[in-house]
Amino acid sequence: MNWLEEFKSPQLSQKILAQIKEYDLPYTFMEVCGTHTVSILRSGVRSLLPKNIKHISGPGCPVCVTSQGDCDLAVEAASIPNICITTFGDMLKVPGSKSNLAQARSEGKHIEIIYGPLDALKYAAEHPEIQVVFLGIGFETTAPTVAATVKKAKEQNIDNFSVLSFHKIVPPALNALLSTNPKIDGFIYPGHVSTVIGIEPYRDVLRKFNKGGVIAGFEPVDILSAILELLKMKQSNQPSVINNYSRAVRDEGNPNALKFINEVFAAEDAEWRGMGTIPESGLGFRDEYKKFCAKTKFNLKSKKSVDPPGCKCGEVLQGLIEPYQCPLFGKACTPIKPVGPCMVSSEGSCAAHYKYGKM
Amino acid sequence: MCLAVPMKVTSIENDMATADYMGTETRACTAFLPGVKVGDYILVHAGFAMEVLDEESALEALKLWKELEDLSFDKTEPKLVEEKSIELA
Ligand code: SF4
């Protein structure tokens, strides 16, 4: 599959990099996707960029943006008798106010790590004697997979399955970021979220804030060419929305996946770690699917978040500071003993900078 | 939970596809991609096929970047690490 390998080509990357260096413009771009954070740091792209180009990693890691109150809610759910929590492994170490899921598990609570929501449903079907709750964490890429699973549960009458939905949607967060951080010149939009939502939601953001961006894939050629497009945009003073990942992203997104999301979920306000409540940025259950909502089923009430003292995740996620500017970075807070969620997931800004970043 | 690497579809049964990446097999639900075929490259996320990769668009994009003027660049050799896979949370 040579055509796919070519997006890694060092020769092509060098060529684009040389073009980038022709632009003597100060430019600050933000990416909002954990996979971009990791690939920009791990591939060395960041260290090759000229000084006039500044990269900030935004709130693109779904685990990192889960509020402390929601982590507490997950721990509370785990302590209900006869419940099994099924979750992506990344969530285990995310700190709540007193405990986290890893600790709950070591205390004997039933927590299973699974690969995807269908596995959680299968587990529920095989264990009718327990209540299986899936932690719905993730953006528009994950939400349709959970919606499709819930639909299957309904079709197959699997009543001991429910979802604690902490899903978030990206465009409202872009609006919130542009309102608080005027330093952002443009975005590298998340590639996989864009396969689902397409380009239109970014156009709305562009109309409101006159800030554009580029949808990009995850190989060096993808990222460098996206940066080149951003620079061209700034020089011509014509911000726009460019789809630079057309091999995977259709302009209309994936209408089938969107249909699943819209059938099961409706937008609701959601709290983001360190960023507060962003209107209509989360996904709650529609009435027809309410019986799969774990919050309703087990009468779980949202908890107030008090972020860990000293943790600057909120500022990191908004690109207001770099991870190493947090006084705890690499000292009290490391991937082995994370204080904040940005240090937990390998895609979190702090964890990725700790592992690959140059200070 | 999600691999950014494209996987090649080797078989499809009902709404489940089996896909392969360098010998690693994954099963993925095709509910979002009713038209997916054996031989397609798909992106898989949390057990679902999210999109089929379009070869024509890829080649077009590559052509565009290849046609860029070759500028002389400085002597420092860029060190780009070849990635096999990138894990998504
Ligand atoms: S280094 Fe740790 S404490 Fe500081 S912002 Fe990052 S996660 Fe929070």
Side-chain angles (χ1 to χ4, degrees), chain A residues 13-200:
Chain A
S13 303
Q14 282 193 30
K15 208 165 159 178
I16 302 168
L17 190 63
Q19 296 269 343
I20 288 175
K21 289 184 176 164
E22 290 293 292
Y23 287 81
D24 201 13
L25 297 168
Y27 197 92
T28 300
F29 75 91
M30 177 185 259
E31 40 74 16
V32 274
C33 166
T35 313
H36 276 144
T37 311
V38 171
S39 47
I40 288 170
L41 290 167
R42 183 157 66 175
S43 65
V45 163
R46 181 169 154 127
S47 58
L48 297 173
L49 291 174
K51 292 232 158 24
N52 53 314
I53 299 175
K54 200 167 171 267
H55 156 230
I56 44 187
S57 322
C61 154
V63 165
C64 307
V65 299
T66 304
S67 74
Q68 203 197 30
D70 286 346
C71 293
D72 286 341
L73 206 62
V75 172
E76 185 187 318
S79 60
I80 298 173
N82 208 30
I83 268 192
C84 166
I85 299 281
T86 49
T87 176
F88 298 122
D90 277 22
M91 271 308 288
L92 284 199
K93 278 199 284 173
V94 180
S97 58
K98 288 189 208 74
S99 180
N100 60 20
L101 289 171
Q103 196 182 328
R105 197 185 196 201
S106 68
E107 288 161 3
K109 306 289 186 285
H110 192 175
I111 295 164
E112 297 281 338
I113 295 168
I114 40 95
Y115 166 68
L118 283 177
D119 292 344
L121 184 63
K122 188 163 168 256
Y123 193 83
E126 289 165 357
H127 299 84
E129 70 288 357
I130 51 174
Q131 288 291 331
V132 174
V133 176
F134 177 71
L135 291 190
I137 307 283
F139 300 114
E140 289 95 326
T141 331
T142 319
T145 72
V146 177
T149 305
V150 167
K151 265 192 84 171
K152 265 192 202 241
K154 194 174 180 192
E155 282 155 20
Q156 297 170 10
N157 287 320
I158 303 176
D159 286 338
N160 62 327
F161 176 78
S162 59
V163 175
L164 198 45
S165 173
F166 300 141
H167 290 291
K168 308 262 186 304
I169 47 187
V170 169
L174 300 183
N175 286 319
L177 284 162
L178 288 172
S179 321
T180 51
N181 190 348
K183 281 187 277 179
I184 302 167
D185 288 307
F187 292 102
I188 289 189
Y189 303 122
H192 295 131
V193 164
S194 305
T195 60
V196 175
I197 67 174
I199 63 173
E200 212 37 53

Side-chain angles (χ1 to χ4, degrees), chain A residues 310-313 316 323 326 328-330 333 339-343 350:
Chain A
C311 173
K312 303 228 178 280
C313 274
V316 171
C326 166
L328 306 186
F329 180 85
C333 182
V339 173
C342 300
M343 195 55 105
C350 295

Side-chain angles (χ1 to χ4, degrees), chain A residues 1 3 6 8 13-15 19 22 35 42-43 90 142 144-145 152 225 247-248 250 254 256 347, chain B residues 15 32 34 41 45 48 50-51 53-54 58 65-66 68-69 71 73 78-80 83 85-86 88-89:
Chain A
M1 52 178 200
W3 55 281
E6 282 190 56
K8 297 179 181 163
S13 303
Q14 282 193 30
K15 208 165 159 178
Q19 296 269 343
E22 290 293 292
T35 313
R42 183 157 66 175
S43 65
D90 277 22
T142 319
T145 72
K152 265 192 202 241
S225 57
R247 66 185 185 278
R250 289 176 272 162
N254 184 330
N256 288 309
E347 296 188 352
Chain B
D15 69 346
F32 312 140
Y41 286 101
H45 175 75
F48 283 77
M50 302 308 296
E51 202 47 87
L53 290 180
D54 181 24
W65 302 121
K66 282 185 191 157
L68 281 179
E69 192 191 338
L71 297 170
F73 24 88
K79 283 189 203 70
L80 288 162
E83 295 300 336
S85 66
I86 296 164
L88 245 195

Side-chain angles (χ1 to χ4, degrees), chain A residues 205-279:
Chain A
V205 178
L206 172 69
R207 280 190 279 270
K208 261 188 236 151
F209 291 91
N210 205 28
K211 297 274 168 90
V214 181
I215 298 172
F218 301 92
E219 306 295 355
V221 168
D222 291 315
I223 292 162
L224 289 166
S225 57
I227 294 169
L228 183 56
E229 291 292 354
L230 289 172
L231 291 168
K232 285 188 196 161
M233 234 184 251
K234 179 150 183 192
Q235 192 168 55
S236 63
N237 202 12
Q238 276 177 332
S240 59
V241 175
I242 295 178
N243 180 4
N244 212 18
Y245 191 31
S246 57
R247 66 185 185 278
V249 175
R250 289 176 272 162
D251 284 359
E252 72 276 21
N254 184 330
N256 288 309
L258 285 170
K259 220 160 70 199
F260 276 95
I261 300 182
N262 291 328
E263 183 177 338
V264 175
F265 297 119
E268 64 177 20
D269 297 352
E271 194 193 345
W272 295 55
R273 175 81 66 151
M275 292 172 71
T277 299
I278 303 177

Side-chain angles (χ1 to χ4, degrees), chain A residues 322-341:
Chain A
E322 295 265 3
Y324 65 84
Q325 288 173 300
C326 166
L328 306 186
F329 180 85
K331 297 181 189 107
C333 182
T334 64
I336 295 173
K337 211 166 173 298
V339 173

